[in-house]
Amino acid sequence: MTANKALDEITLSTESIFEGKVISLQVDTVQLPNGNTSKREIVRHPGAVAVLAIHNDRMLVVEQYRQALGRTEVEIPAGKLEKGEQPEEAIKRELAEETGYRCDQVTLLNSFYTSPGFADEIIHLYLAENLEAGELNPDDDEFLEVTEITLEEAYEQIRDGRISDAKTIMAVQAWHLIKVTGKPSL
Amino acid sequence: MTANKALDEITLSTESIFEGKVISLQVDTVQLPNGNTSKREIVRHPGAVAVLAIHNDRMLVVEQYRQALGRTEVEIPAGKLEKGEQPEEAIKRELAEETGYRCDQVTLLNSFYTSPGFADEIIHLYLAENLEAGELNPDDDEFLEVTEITLEEAYEQIRDGRISDAKTIMAVQAWHLIKVTGKPSL
């Protein structure tokens, strides 16, 4: 299957609205396939990494406060890509910082866009097994609590809403599929 | 498991940066658990619905241009919630508008936040079976191409990057899990 070029929009102009620490915002004026124009509000993001880290048949999760939601959430370890950093190095760094575990070898399960309707954020999701205990070293403005949960506990936390973000649910499903099919499906 | 209140941040002030057609942007100043302050860049979004729609053991997908990515992408049918609209009504409307299929009964698989680090967008993901053919009726600024693909084709398109967004990959995994376990897992 090849991309359908007849659906393409043409960028007529870009207005920069905001440049932040993490994201920037622009409004593009585009020409639609029928010749009309429309506005597209676009958030730019540096990209991120996340990891399905399995230790003794348990998944490592971190509870942290999310200002966008006004509450804490349980998520897999994750973090933004730093400038010039390769995703594989970034995920080893984040795993060590957030959980204290080290992992020499990680496997890329998938890379996905979180919200292609308005943002270019991409998350590279890795699988890490054979973890080695190390030391916690979170960022200065990062406060979190690490726990290890079974697949059943993960589904329980999805049902009760403690786990409610896309990357973590995707990691739980990937783990479940690995268990029932014997290999990563993605 | 209860939420850990010791991780909570306190909002000290909110600066509104932008109010758009789809999203708005604010910068919050927060007090961290250690007493320091930090800035949080937050995108507000009205929320969205998406559907794993199965017809003759094939999943309905739509190809559409995504300005944030600068290319077309293959995704499950989805759309923003309109003001005051219930998610279940919204997904029936979107399914009909985008694919021409109608479905009287849909099942909520899950609701998830796409990017809790910077956005409050939530997507309600439904399962729709027993589809009835109807008429296409896309939005004025929406141009898309509908196809129906097998699970194997869906994984192929994930591998070659045509499918690359969180909600669609999650739907493919959910479909795979339904096939191997006989029931929705979420």
Side-chain angles (χ1 to χ4, degrees), chain A residues 156-168:
Chain A
E156 252 173 56
Q157 293 194 23
I158 291 173
R159 282 191 295 269
D160 74 17
R162 301 283 310 126
I163 289 175
S164 59
D165 76 309
K167 66 179 176 304
T168 304

Side-chain angles (χ1 to χ4, degrees), chain A residues 4 21 41 115 121 145, chain B residues 4 21 41 115 121 145:
Chain A
N4 185 344
K21 269 192 319 178
E41 298 155 7
S115 287
E121 184 193 29
E145 184 176 277
Chain B
N4 185 343
K21 270 192 318 181
E41 298 156 7
S115 285
E121 184 194 29
E145 184 177 277

Side-chain angles (χ1 to χ4, degrees), chain A residues 61-79:
Chain A
V61 289
V62 295
E63 180 175 1
Q64 64 188 308
Y65 191 79
R66 290 305 198 177
Q67 176 69 7
L69 314 185
R71 62 172 174 85
T72 62
E73 201 181 44
V74 174
E75 302 178 13
I76 54 173

Side-chain angles (χ1 to χ4, degrees), chain A:
Chain A
M1 182 175 174
T2 56
N4 185 344
K5 288 287 173 195
L7 301 170
D8 281 6
E9 298 177 1
I10 298 163
T11 306
L12 300 176
S13 65
T14 293
E15 183 190 1
S16 176
I17 305 287
F18 174 79
E19 295 275 340
K21 269 192 319 178
V22 179
I23 58 176
S24 63
L25 173 66
Q26 67 192 56
V27 176
D28 291 355
T29 303
V30 299
Q31 183 179 306
L32 304 175
N34 66 359
N36 291 346
T37 59
S38 188
K39 301 280 187 185
R40 303 288 184 217
E41 298 155 7
I42 307 291
V43 171
R44 301 284 178 202
H45 184 282
V49 289
V51 65
L52 167 59
I54 304 296
H55 187 240
N56 294 334
D57 202 32
R58 284 176 161 75
M59 179 175 81
L60 301 191
V61 289
V62 295
E63 180 175 1
Q64 64 188 308
Y65 191 79
R66 290 305 198 177
Q67 176 69 7
L69 314 185
R71 62 172 174 85
T72 62
E73 201 181 44
V74 174
E75 302 178 13
I76 54 173
K80 288 180 293 294
L81 281 169
E82 292 179 1
K83 219 179 165 87
E85 193 180 31
Q86 291 303 307
E88 194 171 314
E89 293 315 303
I91 197 54
K92 291 178 182 176
R93 174 182 56 74
E94 287 287 351
L95 180 66
E97 282 177 6
E98 293 196 352
T99 72
Y101 282 103
R102 301 194 171 277
C103 188
D104 286 340
Q105 181 131 22
V106 294
T107 307
L108 181 67
L109 287 177
N110 197 29
S111 298
F112 56 88
Y113 294 97
T114 54
S115 287
F118 70 90
D120 70 353
E121 184 193 29
I122 190 167
I123 294 183
H124 307 283
L125 174 63
Y126 287 88
L127 171 67
E129 297 172 298
N130 306 315
L131 307 179
E132 284 172 48
E135 263 178 41
L136 278 170
N137 183 26
D139 285 349
D140 285 347
D141 67 346
E142 206 168 37
F143 298 84
L144 40 82
E145 184 176 277
V146 186
T147 50
E148 305 183 6
I149 60 177
T150 64
L151 181 64
E152 197 174 301
E153 288 166 342
Y155 274 119
E156 252 173 56
Q157 293 194 23
I158 291 173
R159 282 191 295 269
D160 74 17
R162 301 283 310 126
I163 289 175
S164 59
D165 76 309
K167 66 179 176 304
T168 304
I169 295 173
M170 197 182 295
V172 171
Q173 290 183 327
W175 186 26
H176 191 175
L177 282 167
I178 291 170
K179 280 177 175 286
V180 292
T181 67
K183 61 184 168 59
S185 303
L186 294 176

